[in-house]
Every structure is written in C-alpha cells, then in structure tokens.
Amino acid sequence: MPTLWHGRFAEGPAEALQALNHSIGFDQRMFREDIACSRAHVRMLARVGLFEAADVETVLVALDAVETEMSDGSFAFVDSDEDIHTAVERRVTELAGDAGARLHTGRSRNDQVATDLRLWVRREMAELAALVARLQATLAACADDAGDAYLPGYTHLQQAQPVLLAHHLLAHGWALSRDVDRLLGARDRADVSPLGAGALAGSSLPLDPDGVADDLGFATRFENSLDAVSDRDFVVEALFALALLGVHLSRLGEEIVLWSTDEFGFVALDDAFSTGSSMLPQKKNPDVAELARGKAGRLIGNLTGLLASLKGLPLAYNKDLQEDKEPLFDSCDTIRLTLLALDGMVATLGFDTDRMSESADSPYASAVDLAEFLVVAGMPFREAHAVIGGHVRTALAGGGTLTDLVAADERLGPEAAKLLVPGAAVLRRTTPGGAGPEPVAEQRQRFADRLAAQAERI
Ligand code: ARG
C-alpha cells in the first residue's frame, strides 16, 4: 500500500523511518474523535458546495463501517497506516472509492490531529473530574462516619494540636476540589476547534471553520491558523492538572502508609486493598497507597517531558508535536487507575479512633490553650508562651506533671488545669475553618455544597 504522500517520492520509506515515525501504535485510541472530525468535515464541505450530497452519504456510511471495525477489533491495519488519520482515510477510500478520495479536501493532518486531541482532552478531563468527585464523596462519607473522633494534628510530623478526624479527611477533600477546578479549566481551554487551519495557513477553498466547530460541539474556533496547529498548551495544562492531582493523591497515600504502621496504628487496611509478602507470612502491605505516592513521579515526568519537547519549537507544526500523546494518555490512564484503587482503599479503611485519641491526649497538646488562658487574663502572648514553655520544660525534666504545675501556678490555677483534660483541646477550636466540632459541622455543609456545585460543572 503506498503512503498518502507517495506522489512526490521515487522510493518508499525505510523500515527504520517507519518504526520511528509511525504513531499508529498509540494514536489509534483517538479513532472515535478522528472519525467524528471527518463526519463534521465532510458535512461542512457539502454545505459550502465542495461535496455532492450523494458522496456525503457514501463517505458517512464508510465512516460508520470504519468505526464499527475499529470498535470490534476487526479493522485490518496495513504497513502504510502511519497514524490514525492515515488509517481512517485509507479505509474510507477503499470503501467509498472516489468519494473517499475527496475527504481530505481543505484539510491537513496538522489541523486534524490538533482537533482530535482537543476532543479527547475535553472528554477525558470531564471523566477524570467525575472520578475525583467520587473520591471526594468517599472522604466526605468517612468524615461523617468519624463523628467527633479526633487525632493528633502534626506539623513537622511532630504532634502539634488535636484535630477532628473529619477535619483531617476533609483537608484532602478540599485540595481535590481545586484539582477538579483545574481539570475543568483544562477542559474549557481545550474546547476550541482548530479544524480549518489546514497545514498552517488556512485554505483557498471556501471552508467554514465556525460551522465545523459548531458541528463538533466546540465552544469556539481558532483565531489564528499558525497558533491552532502548533501549540499544545492545552495538553500541558491537562498534564499539569493531572500531575498536581497526583501530588495530592501521593500525600493522601503517604498518610495511609504512615497510619497503617504498627507504630501509628490509626487505620487497618481491608484485605481487598492490601497485599501480602512472598516471604514474611505476617505482612500486610499498603501497596495501593504506596503506588499512589509513587505514580506522582511519572505524572510529573510526563509534564516536564512535554514542556521540554515544546520548548523552542518554531511555528508552526513540527513532528516533535507527535510526542504529545503518549505522556497525555499515560497520565490519564495512571490517574484513572490510581483514583479507582485509592477510592476503594479509603472506603474500606478501618479507623482505630481509640488509638487516635490516646495518641492525641498528651497534656502538651493543650499547651497553647494554657497560653491563651493567660492572654484572656491580659498577659501579652509572648510572655504567656514563655510561662507555659517553662512549665513544659519543668514537667519534661521530671519536676511534676504539667497539670500539677499549672494548678499550683497562681496565674493559672485549677480552672486552667481543666484545659488539660483529655478531649478538651479539640473542643476549643471554634474559629471558622478550624479543627473543632463546631466549625467542622459548618465545613461539612460547605463541602457538600461544593460537591453539588462541582457536579453541575462536570
Ligand atoms: N501523527 C501526527 C502527530 O501526531 C499527525 C500529524 C502529522 N503531520 C505531518 N505533517 N506529518 O502529530
């Protein structure tokens, strides 16, 4: 089978060139988008008088047949099928003869591939946003189940102040809501049709890029043909949104890894979402959480790799741009698998809330409440900090319990010592957005509202 561009060449392509140059191995997954573009293109050609009505019908029937063959796996690829655009056109021409040979009128693979990929990104971003929303709903459900359970909150991975478990879980939920925003933002910026830009400069034929954009459901069409075929910023944005989402999932993964250790013991993993060791019979490993952590590396690599490929490319199309698809597909696939597995893992976590409160109940966790007690009585905070720090130092050096030292200090006394009772500190986090039961009740409602608003946009 000759190549699409054989006319100018006396000799066929070398095998090594084909092996490097062909993208069919990975871009065939855009066949639906490619066929949709061809349908819209041929209808537009008919509207502007470049295609006979009967030919449109023949080509549309052939496109349907190609779509069926590609969906059911019966499509026979041949050597010269360089990429998905070539393969579809070749087969349509086989099926539709002369009418098929007219399909590429006024069109280049350069505007075609950009259009296919924008359609692909537009759909995929929405689907992945819906999967993120599912994980958010799971976190919200765990937060509801957690009631008023609390655990140590950490800074520097050192115990700092107790926080409600619901608050901790929702912290991950809010980060994910910004990921949803970013995915939908990437979707919206991909929502521009490049079809009609041609190879780089538009056409001498009376094409109608607005009509074709409309037909494909794009929000708008390109403004500049050179820009339309040469930029992949919409892919970079998608990769960034996915990389940052991956970073957020890696942080959640890391906490599940830590929390499931014997040392923490805050969660037990469900059998279905943990793995065993080939040698050590007692082991139960948090592989899903570790992979959520590890996958962030390749997501970041996909982003930086494409940025490096794009850097310094002159206008307009260059074959370097073919390097856009593998990282994009890989990042989307990676995030999809990670989200599904992590969602299942979180949904089945067994929280050991007794263990959590036991760890959180050290009197030192209430030290700032003691300082604030002094502040309310009129002492400058810096001074109060030093007074309480002194008591902590004495207690740690074996000079009595913090509770006794506080009770015996006339500036503090028994009222202040009550602040050290287990469970008291978390109740006192009352400010908006804070970690105590009062603001967390409000936060739950705001989070539910956010999920509902998000669902509308997806
Ligand atoms: N497979 C190509 C890509 O992914 C399609 C565009 C080819 N254009 C060209 N002028 N060779 O970028």
Side-chain angles (χ1 to χ4, degrees):
M1 189 75 59
T3 61
L4 283 183
W5 31 264
H6 68 278
R8 188 219 181 278
F9 290 76
E11 249 183 89
E15 228 174 84
L17 171 131
Q18 288 200 9
L20 177 67
N21 195 37
H22 282 198
S23 53
I24 189 69
F26 49 86
D27 67 14
Q28 55 180 282
R29 65 189 285 178
M30 301 194 303
F31 75 87
R32 287 200 174 80
E33 288 75 14
D34 197 71
I35 289 168
C37 283
S38 285
R39 287 193 184 109
H41 183 66
V42 82
R43 284 194 286 254
M44 180 276 293
L45 290 176
R47 284 199 303 278
V48 302
L50 290 167
F51 235 79
E52 303 284 333
D55 284 349
V56 173
E57 210 32 51
T58 314
V59 168
L60 289 178
V61 168
L63 284 166
D64 287 349
V66 173
E67 186 161 30
T68 306
E69 290 176 3
M70 290 198 166
S71 320
D72 69 17
S74 64
F75 188 92
F77 288 97
V78 302
D79 262 6
S80 59
D81 289 342
E82 190 178 317
D83 50 29
I84 187 60
H85 329 292
T86 317
V88 171
E89 189 189 331
R90 190 260 310 157
R91 184 70 180 132
V92 166
T93 308
E94 277 171 15
L95 294 170
D98 192 49
R102 295 175 191 279
L103 172 59
H104 210 53
T105 306
R107 185 177 79 170
S108 159
R109 280 182 294 158
N110 298 352
D111 56 349
Q112 236 185 316
V113 69
T115 311
D116 291 4
L117 202 55
R118 282 178 178 271
L119 286 173
W120 201 90
V121 166
R122 200 176 64 170
R123 180 185 42 73
E124 192 73 10
M125 291 302 106
E127 282 181 28
L128 294 175
L131 287 184
V132 178
R134 200 165 124 175
L135 175 57
Q136 288 178 293
T138 300
L139 287 164
C142 291
D144 286 342
D145 291 346
D148 284 349
Y150 60 94
L151 76 163
Y154 297 83
T155 62
H156 313 269
L157 204 55
Q158 307 282 327
Q159 291 194 4
Q161 285 182 289
V163 297
L164 282 198
L165 174 57
H167 191 61
H168 192 118
L169 294 169
L170 288 175
H172 289 292
W174 286 107
L176 293 175
S177 70
R178 293 187 296 278
D179 291 314
V180 169
D181 281 350
R182 274 182 285 269
L183 291 170
L184 296 180
R187 172 191 68 179
D188 294 346
R189 271 178 300 281
D191 199 8
V192 179
S193 173
L195 207 56
L200 74 166
S203 178
S204 68
L205 300 168
L207 305 181
D208 174 21
D210 284 302
V212 105
D214 214 42
D215 191 345
L216 287 168
F218 277 111
T220 181
R221 63 146 167 96
F222 66 96
E223 297 287 350
N224 177 306
S225 61
L226 290 170
D227 179 41
V229 294
S230 68
D231 209 341
R232 294 294 182 269
D233 53 357
F234 67 100
V235 181
V236 171
E237 282 197 55
L239 288 176
F240 171 67
L242 295 169
L244 188 46
L245 167 58
V247 166
H248 284 148
L249 298 181
S250 81
R251 300 180 69 195
L252 177 55
E254 167 63 3
E255 289 197 330
I256 296 174
V257 170
L258 274 177
W259 287 9
S260 63
T261 57
D262 288 333
E263 289 73 10
F264 273 81
F266 289 177
V267 292
L269 307 176
D270 191 77
D271 280 2
F273 287 95
S274 44
T275 52
S277 155
S278 62
M279 179 175 172
L280 310 173
Q282 83 283 12
K283 291 297 299 288
K284 198 169 172 186
N285 295 327
D287 291 28
V288 168
E290 290 169 285
L291 285 168
R293 194 176 57 188
K295 295 286 186 193
R298 72 195 270 168
L299 295 167
I300 294 166
N302 286 339
L303 168 65
T304 55
L306 181 62
L307 281 169
S309 296
L310 296 181
K311 182 197 166 296
L313 286 187
L315 297 176
Y317 181 84
N318 299 273
K319 198 57 176 263
D320 316 44
L321 293 177
Q322 184 165 281
E323 291 298 303
D324 56 2
K325 283 171 275 304
E326 285 166 291
L328 175 67
F329 296 158
D330 182 69
S331 286
C332 290
D333 294 345
T334 300
I335 278 289
R336 188 179 287 267
L337 292 177
T338 307
L339 280 170
L340 287 171
L342 203 54
D343 181 55
M345 178 176 231
V346 172
T348 55
L349 282 177
F351 293 94
D352 188 339
T353 53
D354 290 340
R355 181 78 181 245
M356 288 178 180
S357 48
E358 244 165 63
S359 303
D361 281 339
S362 144
Y364 303 115
S366 303
V368 78
D369 294 87
L370 296 172
E372 285 167 5
F373 180 93
L374 293 173
V375 164
V376 171
M379 188 182 284
F381 177 74
R382 194 46 59 216
E383 197 181 319
H385 186 285
V387 169
I388 305 304
H391 286 313
V392 169
R393 183 151 52 94
T394 308
L396 288 173
T401 67
L402 187 62
T403 310
D404 290 346
L405 291 166
V406 165
D409 183 331
E410 60 193 17
R411 295 163 296 186
L412 291 156
E415 260 325 287
K418 282 192 201 148
L419 299 175
L420 301 180
V421 167
V426 76
L427 300 177
R428 297 172 54 79
R429 309 273 81 80
T430 49
T431 47
E438 241 179 83
V440 168
E442 193 206 351
Q443 186 191 157
R444 283 177 212 269
Q445 189 49 53
R446 291 170 83 110
F447 192 67
D449 295 346
R450 175 67 172 243
L451 291 188
Q454 233 179 239
E456 298 264 304
R457 288 178 63 210
I458 295 172

